[in-house]
Amino acid sequence: MTAEPVIDQQHPPAALPATVRASLSPSRAADFKTCPLLYRFRSIDRLPERPSVEQARGTLVHAVLERLFDLPAGGRTPQAAGDLVGPQWDRLVTEQPELAGLFDPGDEPGTAEFLRSAAALLEGYFAVEDPRRLEPAERESLISAVVDDELLIRGYLDRLDVAPDGALRVVDYKTGGAPREAFEARALFQLKFYALVLWRTRGVVPRVLRLLYLKDAEVCDYSPDADELLRFERTVVALWQAIEQATARQDFRPRPSRLCDWCNHQAHCPAFGGTPPPFPERAGAADPLRDARSRPATPGADE
Ligand code: SF4
């Protein structure tokens, strides 16, 4: 499968069309849609977020599923996936030392239970898919497109499958233990975001957007059409314009919802009696292409 990205993925700043003046990832767009203040805390204030055990488990399971497809098809067994859990966790902790802080030094039972819980999610994966029968076209692939001449949209796909007839299937692994209804709209928004990028770069509307809920061992398929993606594109552009306006006015309001239970920033949120930090002085002049010059959140890091 040959991708036809509109920019050079290795050197995005140099290769960006001159008209592009901002970039947006599905995670950050979904933040603003969910709660403008959450967007501010994450994208403007850049408040630190301590990874939760659940997020770490998601990152680990995504890593195992990515590596699983490195194996020859016949070797992609539940046992092989289980065998990848420990080594992948060691690799992640080496690359992201903050993950080590999730467990007290010497808390081997805690770590072992965590690894077992990741393995249990992988069992959920094998209940809904047989990876021996699949040959993904892409895994953890950075895709991007320019919409409305000015906005670069980009993000990482968990997996892209391409059928012999060229049909595309975008697959997203969901590992969170949160109630699905609390996050499904956000998950679908992200998948449509990827579908829009693929449509704009390859001229093909993905036939299926698939959410794989590993905890529940369930599959949720959605089939978009071009009209819908056209409307979605307008929504994304309007969302970006709303972000620009909010930034110019320094006005990001909290929008409380069930998702607040998973928000790292209640202590700073007026909806919970907190006070936001002073608006960063240079936020209005912040580099709107900053995200295009750095690696966006990887799949699994946002669950
Ligand atoms: S606690 Fe809720 S309302 Fe406040 S910033 Fe987080 S998501 Fe928004």
Coordinates of all heavy atoms in Angstrom, one line a residue, residues 6-7 16-26 28-29 39 144-154 189 193 196-197 200 232-244 288-289 291-292:
V6 N 0.1 14.4 1.8 CA 0.3 15.7 1.2 C 1.6 16.4 1.7 O 2.0 17.4 1.1 CB -0.9 16.6 1.4 CG1 -2.1 16.1 0.7 CG2 -1.1 16.9 2.9
I7 N 2.2 15.9 2.8 CA 3.4 16.5 3.2 C 4.4 15.4 3.4 O 4.1 14.2 3.5 CB 3.3 17.3 4.5 CG1 2.8 16.3 5.6 CG2 2.3 18.4 4.4 CD1 3.0 16.9 7.0
L16 N 5.6 21.8 4.4 CA 4.2 22.3 4.5 C 3.9 23.3 3.4 O 4.7 24.1 3.1 CB 4.0 22.9 5.9 CG 3.8 22.0 7.1 CD1 3.7 22.9 8.3 CD2 2.6 21.2 7.0
P17 N 2.7 23.1 2.8 CA 2.3 24.2 1.8 C 2.3 25.6 2.5 O 2.0 25.7 3.7 CB 0.9 23.8 1.5 CG 0.8 22.3 1.7 CD 1.7 22.1 2.9
A18 N 2.7 26.6 1.8 CA 2.9 27.9 2.4 C 1.6 28.4 3.0 O 1.7 29.3 3.9 CB 3.5 28.9 1.3
T19 N 0.5 28.0 2.5 CA -0.8 28.5 3.0 C -1.1 27.9 4.3 O -2.0 28.5 5.0 CB -1.9 28.1 2.0 OG1 -1.9 26.7 1.8 CG2 -1.8 28.9 0.7
V20 N -0.5 26.9 4.8 CA -0.9 26.2 6.0 C -0.4 27.1 7.2 O 0.8 27.5 7.3 CB -0.2 24.8 6.1 CG1 -0.5 24.2 7.5 CG2 -0.9 23.9 5.1
R21 N -1.3 27.4 8.1 CA -0.9 28.2 9.3 C -1.3 27.6 10.6 O -1.1 28.2 11.6 CB -1.5 29.6 9.1 CG -3.0 29.6 9.1 CD -3.5 31.0 8.7 NE -5.0 31.1 8.8 CZ -5.5 31.5 10.0 NH1 -4.8 31.8 11.0 NH2 -6.9 31.5 10.0
A22 N -1.8 26.4 10.6 CA -2.2 25.8 11.9 C -2.3 24.3 11.7 O -2.5 23.8 10.6 CB -3.5 26.3 12.4
S23 N -2.1 23.6 12.8 CA -2.3 22.1 12.7 C -3.2 21.7 13.9 O -3.3 22.3 14.9 CB -1.0 21.4 12.8 OG -0.5 21.2 14.1
L24 N -3.9 20.6 13.7 CA -4.8 20.1 14.7 C -4.8 18.5 14.6 O -4.9 17.9 13.5 CB -6.2 20.6 14.3 CG -7.3 20.5 15.4 CD1 -7.0 21.2 16.7 CD2 -8.6 21.0 14.8
S25 N -4.7 18.0 15.8 CA -4.8 16.5 15.9 C -6.2 16.1 16.3 O -6.9 17.0 16.9 CB -3.8 16.0 16.9 OG -4.2 16.3 18.2
P26 N -6.6 14.9 16.1 CA -8.0 14.5 16.5 C -8.2 14.6 18.0 O -9.2 15.0 18.5 CB -8.2 13.1 16.0 CG -6.8 12.6 15.7 CD -6.0 13.8 15.4
R28 N -6.7 16.7 20.2 CA -6.9 18.1 20.6 C -8.2 18.6 20.1 O -8.9 19.4 20.8 CB -5.7 18.9 20.1 CG -4.3 18.5 20.7 CD -4.2 18.7 22.2 NE -4.9 17.7 23.0 CZ -4.4 16.5 23.2 NH1 -3.2 16.1 22.7 NH2 -5.1 15.6 23.9
A29 N -8.6 18.3 18.9 CA -9.9 18.7 18.4 C -11.0 18.2 19.3 O -12.0 18.9 19.7 CB -10.1 18.3 17.0
Y39 N -9.1 21.7 26.5 CA -8.2 22.1 25.4 C -7.2 23.0 25.9 O -6.0 22.9 25.6 CB -9.0 22.6 24.2 CG -8.1 23.1 23.1 CD1 -7.7 22.3 22.1 CD2 -7.6 24.4 23.1 CE1 -6.8 22.7 21.1 CE2 -6.7 24.9 22.1 CZ -6.4 24.0 21.1 OH -5.5 24.4 20.2
S144 N -1.6 12.7 7.5 CA -2.0 14.1 7.6 C -2.5 14.6 6.2 O -2.3 14.0 5.2 CB -0.7 14.9 8.0 OG 0.3 14.8 7.0
A145 N -3.3 15.7 6.3 CA -3.8 16.3 5.1 C -4.0 17.8 5.4 O -4.2 18.1 6.6 CB -5.1 15.6 4.7
V146 N -4.1 18.5 4.4 CA -4.4 20.0 4.5 C -5.9 20.1 4.1 O -6.3 19.7 3.1 CB -3.5 20.9 3.7 CG1 -3.9 22.3 3.8 CG2 -2.0 20.7 4.1
V147 N -6.6 20.8 5.0 CA -8.0 21.1 4.6 C -8.2 22.6 4.7 O -7.5 23.3 5.4 CB -9.0 20.4 5.6 CG1 -9.0 18.9 5.5 CG2 -8.8 20.8 7.0
D148 N -9.1 23.1 3.8 CA -9.4 24.5 3.8 C -8.1 25.3 3.5 O -8.0 26.5 3.9 CB -10.0 25.0 5.1 CG -10.8 26.2 5.0 OD1 -11.5 26.4 3.9 OD2 -10.8 27.1 5.9
D149 N -7.2 24.8 2.8 CA -5.9 25.4 2.4 C -5.0 25.8 3.6 O -3.8 26.0 3.4 CB -6.1 26.7 1.6 CG -6.8 26.3 0.2 OD1 -6.5 25.2 -0.3 OD2 -7.5 27.2 -0.3
E150 N -5.6 25.9 4.8 CA -4.8 26.5 5.9 C -4.5 25.6 7.0 O -3.7 25.9 7.9 CB -5.6 27.7 6.4 CG -5.7 28.9 5.4 CD -6.4 30.1 6.0 OE1 -7.2 29.9 7.0 OE2 -6.1 31.2 5.6
L151 N -5.3 24.5 7.2 CA -5.3 23.7 8.4 C -4.7 22.3 8.1 O -5.2 21.6 7.2 CB -6.7 23.6 9.0 CG -6.8 22.8 10.2 CD1 -6.0 23.4 11.4 CD2 -8.3 22.6 10.6
L152 N -3.6 22.0 8.8 CA -3.1 20.7 8.7 C -3.7 19.8 9.7 O -3.7 20.1 10.9 CB -1.5 20.7 8.9 CG -0.8 19.4 8.9 CD1 -0.6 18.9 7.5 CD2 0.6 19.5 9.6
I153 N -4.3 18.7 9.3 CA -4.9 17.8 10.3 C -4.1 16.5 10.2 O -3.7 16.0 9.2 CB -6.4 17.5 10.0 CG1 -6.6 16.9 8.6 CG2 -7.2 18.8 10.2 CD1 -8.1 16.5 8.4
R154 N -3.8 16.0 11.4 CA -2.8 14.9 11.4 C -3.1 14.0 12.7 O -3.6 14.5 13.7 CB -1.4 15.4 11.5 CG -1.1 16.1 12.7 CD 0.1 17.0 12.6 NE 1.4 16.3 12.5 CZ 2.2 16.1 13.4 NH1 2.0 16.5 14.7 NH2 3.4 15.4 13.2
F189 N -15.6 10.5 16.6 CA -15.0 11.7 16.1 C -13.6 11.5 15.6 O -13.2 12.0 14.5 CB -15.1 12.8 17.2 CG -14.5 14.1 16.8 CD1 -15.3 15.1 16.2 CD2 -13.2 14.4 17.0 CE1 -14.8 16.3 15.8 CE2 -12.6 15.6 16.6 CZ -13.5 16.6 16.0
F193 N -12.1 11.7 11.8 CA -11.0 12.6 11.5 C -10.0 11.8 10.6 O -9.5 12.3 9.6 CB -10.3 12.9 12.8 CG -9.5 14.2 12.9 CD1 -10.1 15.4 13.4 CD2 -8.2 14.2 12.4 CE1 -9.3 16.5 13.4 CE2 -7.4 15.4 12.5 CZ -8.0 16.5 13.0
L196 N -11.4 11.4 7.1 CA -11.2 12.6 6.3 C -9.8 12.7 5.7 O -9.7 13.0 4.5 CB -11.6 13.8 7.2 CG -11.4 15.2 6.6 CD1 -12.2 15.3 5.3 CD2 -11.8 16.3 7.6
V197 N -8.8 12.4 6.6 CA -7.4 12.5 6.1 C -7.2 11.5 4.9 O -6.7 11.9 3.9 CB -6.4 12.3 7.2 CG1 -5.0 12.2 6.6 CG2 -6.5 13.3 8.3
R200 N -9.0 12.7 1.8 CA -8.3 13.8 1.2 C -7.0 13.5 0.5 O -6.6 14.1 -0.4 CB -8.2 15.0 2.2 CG -9.5 15.7 2.4 CD -10.0 16.3 1.2 NE -11.2 17.1 1.4 CZ -12.1 17.3 0.4 NH1 -12.0 16.7 -0.8 NH2 -13.1 18.1 0.6
F232 N -18.2 16.8 7.8 CA -17.2 16.7 8.9 C -16.1 17.6 8.8 O -15.6 18.3 9.7 CB -16.8 15.2 9.1 CG -15.9 15.0 10.3 CD1 -16.5 14.9 11.5 CD2 -14.5 14.9 10.1 CE1 -15.7 14.7 12.6 CE2 -13.7 14.7 11.3 CZ -14.3 14.6 12.5
E233 N -15.6 17.8 7.5 CA -14.5 18.7 7.2 C -14.9 20.1 7.6 O -14.1 20.8 8.2 CB -14.2 18.6 5.7 CG -13.0 19.4 5.3 CD -12.6 19.2 3.9 OE1 -13.5 19.5 3.0 OE2 -11.5 18.7 3.6
R234 N -16.1 20.5 7.3 CA -16.6 21.8 7.7 C -16.6 22.0 9.2 O -16.3 23.0 9.8 CB -18.0 22.1 7.1 CG -17.9 22.3 5.6 CD -19.3 22.8 5.1 NE -19.6 22.4 3.7 CZ -20.5 21.5 3.4 NH1 -21.3 21.0 4.3 NH2 -20.6 21.2 2.1
T235 N -17.0 20.9 9.9 CA -17.0 20.9 11.3 C -15.6 21.1 11.9 O -15.4 21.9 12.8 CB -17.6 19.6 11.9 OG1 -18.9 19.4 11.4 CG2 -17.6 19.5 13.4
V236 N -14.7 20.4 11.3 CA -13.3 20.5 11.8 C -12.8 21.9 11.6 O -12.1 22.5 12.5 CB -12.4 19.5 11.1 CG1 -10.9 19.7 11.5 CG2 -12.8 18.1 11.6
V237 N -13.0 22.5 10.4 CA -12.6 23.9 10.1 C -13.2 24.8 11.1 O -12.6 25.7 11.7 CB -12.8 24.2 8.7 CG1 -12.5 25.7 8.4 CG2 -12.0 23.4 7.7
A238 N -14.5 24.7 11.3 CA -15.3 25.6 12.2 C -14.7 25.4 13.6 O -14.6 26.4 14.4 CB -16.8 25.2 12.2
L239 N -14.4 24.2 14.0 CA -13.8 24.0 15.3 C -12.5 24.7 15.5 O -12.2 25.4 16.5 CB -13.6 22.5 15.5 CG -13.5 21.8 16.9 CD1 -14.8 22.1 17.6 CD2 -13.3 20.3 16.7
W240 N -11.7 24.7 14.4 CA -10.4 25.4 14.5 C -10.6 26.9 14.6 O -10.0 27.6 15.4 CB -9.5 25.1 13.3 CG -8.3 25.9 13.4 CD1 -7.9 26.9 12.5 CD2 -7.3 25.9 14.4 NE1 -6.8 27.5 13.0 CE2 -6.3 26.9 14.1 CE3 -7.1 25.1 15.5 CZ2 -5.2 27.1 14.9 CZ3 -5.9 25.3 16.3 CH2 -5.0 26.3 15.9
Q241 N -11.6 27.4 13.8 CA -11.9 28.8 13.9 C -12.4 29.2 15.3 O -12.0 30.2 15.9 CB -13.0 29.2 12.9 CG -12.4 29.1 11.4 CD -13.5 29.2 10.4 OE1 -14.6 29.0 10.7 NE2 -13.0 29.4 9.1
A242 N -13.2 28.3 15.9 CA -13.6 28.6 17.3 C -12.4 28.6 18.3 O -12.4 29.4 19.2 CB -14.6 27.5 17.7
I243 N -11.5 27.7 18.0 CA -10.3 27.6 18.9 C -9.5 28.9 18.7 O -9.0 29.5 19.7 CB -9.4 26.4 18.5 CG1 -10.1 25.1 18.9 CG2 -8.0 26.5 19.2 CD1 -9.4 23.8 18.4
E244 N -9.4 29.4 17.5 CA -8.6 30.7 17.3 C -9.3 31.8 18.0 O -8.7 32.7 18.6 CB -8.5 30.9 15.8 CG -7.5 30.1 15.1 CD -7.2 30.6 13.7 OE1 -8.2 30.9 12.9 OE2 -6.0 30.7 13.3
P288 N 1.0 28.2 16.1 CA -0.2 27.3 15.8 C 0.3 26.0 15.1 O -0.5 25.1 14.9 CB -1.1 28.1 15.0 CG -0.3 29.1 14.3 CD 0.9 29.4 15.2
L289 N 1.5 26.0 14.5 CA 2.0 24.9 13.8 C 2.9 24.0 14.7 O 3.5 23.1 14.3 CB 2.8 25.3 12.6 CG 1.9 25.6 11.4 CD1 2.7 26.2 10.3 CD2 1.1 24.4 10.9
D291 N 2.3 21.8 16.8 CA 1.9 20.4 16.8 C 2.4 19.7 15.6 O 2.6 18.5 15.5 CB 0.4 20.1 17.0 CG 0.0 20.4 18.5 OD1 0.9 20.4 19.3 OD2 -1.2 20.5 18.7
A292 N 2.6 20.4 14.5 CA 3.0 19.8 13.3 C 4.5 19.6 13.3 O 5.0 18.8 12.5 CB 2.7 20.8 12.1

